[in-house]
Amino acid sequence: MEKYAPNALELASRDVVARAILNEIREGRGVGPRKDAVYLDVTHLGKELIMNKLPELRELAITFLGLDMIKEPILISATAHYSMGGIPVDIDGHARKNNTEFIEGFYAAGECSCVSVHGANRLGANSVLEALLFGRFVGKTMVKDLENIELRKATQEDATTALKEIDFLLNNNGNETVPELREELQQCMTANAGAFRSKDTLQIAVDTVKKLRERFQNIRIKDKSKVFNTELQEALEFGHMLDYSLFIVESAIARDESRGAHYREDFKNRDDENFLKHTMAYMDENGKVSLDYMDVVLGKHELKERNY
Ligand SMILES: Cc1cc2nc3c(=O)[nH]c(=O)nc-3n(C[C@H](O)[C@H](O)[C@H](O)COP(=O)(O)OP(=O)(O)OC[C@H]3O[C@@H](n4cnc5c(N)ncnc54)[C@H](O)[C@@H]3O)c2cc1C
């Protein structure tokens, strides 16, 4: 890591380390049977510390790679494992309708939400903060709010709207399957909207995701049961993944700068003058995405150049 972050080394932030790993691989210095990994050597930590602090990781490497990190370097690579952004919420978990309004009775916490504590980067404590701290906090908000909210009665129309999506998936008799489409979405997003992006690759991603959304209309699931139907659940989730992917790529292509994990090879620097702002993305009923922006509240933080 001296080459990429001479001071922080492996402790540089995740986007920097991830890009370093992937850069070594794409420049042909990858190792392992498929040359798609790099070595992580932690042997200097010693058996005692590894067994105390990293026993699960050691087990994983032994099970899946046949490598014991106490004795030898293990193979690693960088992969998507967290989603920055999400349902925009205020600090109490109220979901935003737009820059100024909220949707009464709609709350979000955990990885699906975006409280905007960490901005555009995945840091070591994102999940703990979002899932545990805000999960508890937002739960308390909901209990408190209930005293003042008059709960609306669910109508037949509400039920019909909710069931429409499920009925479509259960009854549609097309010739596309979720595993195939999902594989294509994964490959497209990793290749074109992953750790390295540019206008050209993001345009490929926008076009591909739009085509996949069309093909999803031709979906068919085999399991038609209404109890514990995991195929139906996967299809539902995949439909939402398609929506979310379109939000990601349409937002990224409009952001002509690099910020945190959003790294544009055609705009390598952060541009605070034009892009120190949250992207607010909306989708209409025809699947068309429109973008707006919301100010960032810096609080006590000052803008600084990131330097590792
Ligand atoms: C490979 C990998 C490694 C990771 N490593 C770490 C790590 O080392 N440290 C760390 O802190 N974090 C790590 N994370 C991130 C962390 O696991 C997640 O941020 C965290 O689990 C999110 O929890 P959550 O409860 O918010 O969401 P989830 O755990 O994603 O739960 C959401 C649930 O909602 C369900 N759902 C989805 N759509 C619907 C719907 N329409 N209706 C009803 N239910 C629905 C899903 O099935 C799921 O059960 C990792 C993630 C991955 C993928």
Side-chain angles (χ1 to χ4, degrees), residues 81-82 110-111 122 127 131 233 237 240:
H81 67 290
Y82 185 79
E111 189 169 330
R122 163 63 163 134
S127 296
Q233 185 194 332
E237 285 187 5
H240 298 168

Side-chain angles (χ1 to χ4, degrees), residues 3-4 18-29 196:
K3 200 163 108 192
Y4 297 96
R19 278 196 296 277
I21 293 170
L22 295 173
N23 200 47
E24 289 299 302
I25 295 167
R26 71 180 190 170
E27 287 186 357
R29 292 183 290 279
F196 297 99

Side-chain angles (χ1 to χ4, degrees), residues 82-85 114-123 126 130 259-261 278 296:
Y82 185 79
S83 177
M84 271 77 75
C114 180
V115 193
S116 293
V117 181
H118 292 117
N121 219 339
R122 163 63 163 134
L123 304 175
N126 285 139
E130 283 186 339
R259 182 177 295 270
H278 299 288
V296 170

Side-chain angles (χ1 to χ4, degrees), residues 124-188:
N126 285 139
S127 296
V128 176
L129 192 69
E130 283 186 339
L132 297 183
L133 190 139
F134 283 107
R136 182 175 158 86
F137 201 54
V138 173
K140 287 184 169 181
T141 306
M142 289 160 81
V143 173
K144 205 162 75 199
D145 282 2
L146 275 177
E147 291 165 14
N148 304 315
I149 294 180
E150 199 182 319
L151 289 179
R152 195 168 67 86
K153 285 237 165 0
T155 61
Q156 185 55 45
E157 200 191 338
D158 294 332
T160 310
T161 310
L163 287 173
K164 217 167 104 188
E165 195 179 356
I166 293 174
D167 285 343
F168 164 73
L169 293 169
L170 280 176
N171 301 321
N172 204 45
N173 254 332
N175 53 13
E176 299 281 5
T177 66
V178 170
E180 253 175 59
L181 295 188
R182 193 173 47 207
E183 177 75 27
E184 286 185 41
L185 180 68
Q186 277 169 349
Q187 283 182 7
C188 160

